[in-house]
Amino acid sequence: MYVSSTAPNIFDQVGQCGNQIGSEFWKQLCREHGISPNGILEDFATHGDDRKDVFFYQADDDHYVPRALLLDLEPRVVNSIQTSAHRQLFNQENVFVSPEGGGAGNNWASGYSQGERFHDILMDMVDREADNSDSLEGFVLSHSIAGGTGSGMGSYILEKLNDHFPKKLIQTYSVFPNWDNQSDVVVQPYNSLLTIKRLTLNADSVVVLDNTALAKIAVDRLKIVNPTVSHMNSIVSTVMAASTTTLRYPGYMNNDLVGLVASLIPTPRCHFLMTGYTPLVLNDVPNTATTTVRKTSVLDVMRRLTQTKNIMVSASTRRGCYISILNIIQGDVDPTQVHKALQRLRERRLVNFIPWGPAGIQVALSRKSPYVETSHKVCIYGYLSGA
Amino acid sequence: VHNSHVADAATHVNRQVSGMMLANHTCIAQIFQRTVNQYDKIRKRNAFIDNYRKEPMFADNLDEFDMSVARKCHQC
């Protein structure tokens, strides 16, 4: 449509959490692009104008293969992916599990030094995948910051990616720990702090996936009494897939990671992004959340996105101010509604922006995918409302 | 009749508008502050610090820990 070229991204999933949310992300992408679990394009999806090649490439036999590296220091999660319905999806050469298989014992330092020890193997895998991607745009890393492997080995990989590919963009989906959960590991603060330092120095953009907030949303909003890891991962993969729609569907703006990051991050150091989503529905989990959301005008959706209860971060947005906002609105929407909605939000001063810089809510409008009801096809409009 | 029901249901689903927000907000500093507070608590009593001393980065000293805090506070 309006897109000149594709900018592929390599997805590194590191550690148990990183691989769990990563595999959910790939399942969601397959559903949205009409790719079967073994990588074959479904008959109904052969005429799509989506950009599968941002995250997939086509093998010689036309199979779609994720540009993904699955990295872990213990075999459990990677094995479960390798025995799932999607076992044929991934390139087997891109899977690394430490031969010792002992994990990192929730110790950042152990994960980091094992990353160092397996440096050659890991960087060979990265280089091979990078060589395979013409005009590579950057890397996406999914991991948790509080354990051992995703945090420690993830930190090591971030540093090395930055060294080896100084011009490539590095974005992360970083799961922050649930501080309300006392049963969690005592050493989480050590690991988190050491990882946050690398996220600050070696990443261009960090999407914060805050388990403290996600657990609260699962209980309060989705009415799940005891949310499990798979519930949380389901929310996370919805958010990850939605946040990459502008890359995967042609449009006027935010077609690539560079554009997306540039529009959200005016000063390089302030690159930690929070997310919001409405209405939230979990795959395979029947709940009442959708039926309770009756009005779905653009204004309602945009207003709900400013409400604390829909924002997936355990910090108060009443303190401080917004540096930037991008709303990706999915569904059939009249563009004139967007103008009106932006005007109303401004009149009611619902959103507090920084006094410096050209701040405003940016809106990307999208159509729903013909393949999945929770998905979206993007046709993008850019709006800058004066703050 | 059955088919049109299905079609209605499909149209209904597609009509629902959903929204995703990506935002840059200064409140994210609260999360860093909370991490540092939690860190201070366990660092004060050096809880489980021996596991870290076993690894090369912390074999000689714990500078890496303390420098990470300094870096963070500077940013907040």
Side-chain angles (χ1 to χ4, degrees), chain A residues 119-162:
Chain A
H119 171 95
D120 292 349
I121 303 177
L122 296 171
M123 291 317 287
D124 277 354
M125 290 169 73
V126 170
D127 283 337
R128 179 163 27 78
E129 196 59 32
D131 289 342
N132 188 20
S133 313
D134 287 338
S135 65
L136 177 73
E137 179 175 46
F139 297 90
V140 181
L141 177 87
S142 73
H143 68 144
S144 129
I145 69 161
T149 307
S151 75
M153 193 164 83
S155 289
Y156 184 80
I157 291 171
L158 275 177
E159 290 179 353
K160 294 306 140 189
L161 287 178
N162 218 355

Side-chain angles (χ1 to χ4, degrees), chain A residues 16 103-111 146-149 151 185 187-188 190-191, chain B residues 52:
Chain A
Q16 290 183 42
N106 285 310
N107 182 344
W108 183 94
S110 169
T149 307
S151 75
V185 191
V187 293
Q188 282 189 348
Y190 289 150
N191 301 331
Chain B
Y52 291 80

Side-chain angles (χ1 to χ4, degrees), chain A residues 251-254 326-327 333-336 338 362-366 378-384:
Chain A
Y252 290 110
M253 61 181 275
N254 299 329
L326 171 67
N327 283 343
V333 169
D334 177 358
T336 60
V338 177
Q362 302 169 72
V363 181
L365 284 189
S366 66
V378 181
C379 159
I380 295 179
Y381 291 78
Y383 285 91
L384 276 178

Side-chain angles (χ1 to χ4, degrees), chain A residues 32-106:
Chain A
E32 292 187 13
H33 290 296
I35 295 169
S36 76
N38 53 7
I40 297 168
L41 196 61
E42 306 278 10
D43 289 339
F44 56 75
T46 48
H47 297 294
D49 54 0
D50 46 1
R51 292 196 309 176
K52 301 171 192 65
D53 44 356
V54 177
F55 288 108
F56 295 88
Y57 65 87
Q58 275 186 287
D60 295 338
D61 57 359
D62 278 358
H63 273 67
Y64 280 91
V65 182
R67 301 180 195 274
L69 301 179
L70 289 63
L71 315 172
D72 209 344
L73 294 171
E74 58 114 75
R76 195 176 52 90
V77 174
V78 172
N79 279 354
S80 76
I81 297 169
Q82 301 280 59
T83 52
S84 71
H86 291 74
R87 62 184 171 276
Q88 290 173 314
L89 187 67
F90 299 98
N91 178 358
Q92 294 307 310
E93 290 185 309
N94 287 3
V95 179
F96 170 80
V97 176
S98 157
E100 286 97 350
N106 285 310

Side-chain angles (χ1 to χ4, degrees), chain A residues 253-328:
Chain A
M253 61 181 275
N254 299 329
N255 292 322
D256 49 27
L257 213 49
V258 176
L260 192 71
V261 166
S263 67
L264 283 166
I265 300 169
T267 57
R269 266 302 172 82
C270 297
H271 61 241
F272 289 82
L273 304 176
M274 63 182 197
T275 60
Y277 197 88
T278 180
L280 254 186
V281 200
L282 287 188
N283 293 326
D284 315 323
V285 181
N287 69 72
T288 52
T290 39
T291 50
T292 55
V293 180
R294 297 203 182 280
K295 287 187 75 181
T296 54
S297 75
V298 179
L299 179 59
D300 287 305
V301 166
M302 284 177 45
R303 190 192 291 126
R304 281 201 293 271
L305 287 176
T306 65
Q307 293 169 345
T308 324
K309 60 184 180 185
N310 293 316
I311 295 176
M312 297 170 177
V313 76
S314 57
S316 172
T317 52
R318 291 195 186 86
R319 283 163 57 196
C321 50
Y322 282 97
I323 296 169
S324 62
I325 301 180
L326 171 67
N327 283 343
I328 303 170

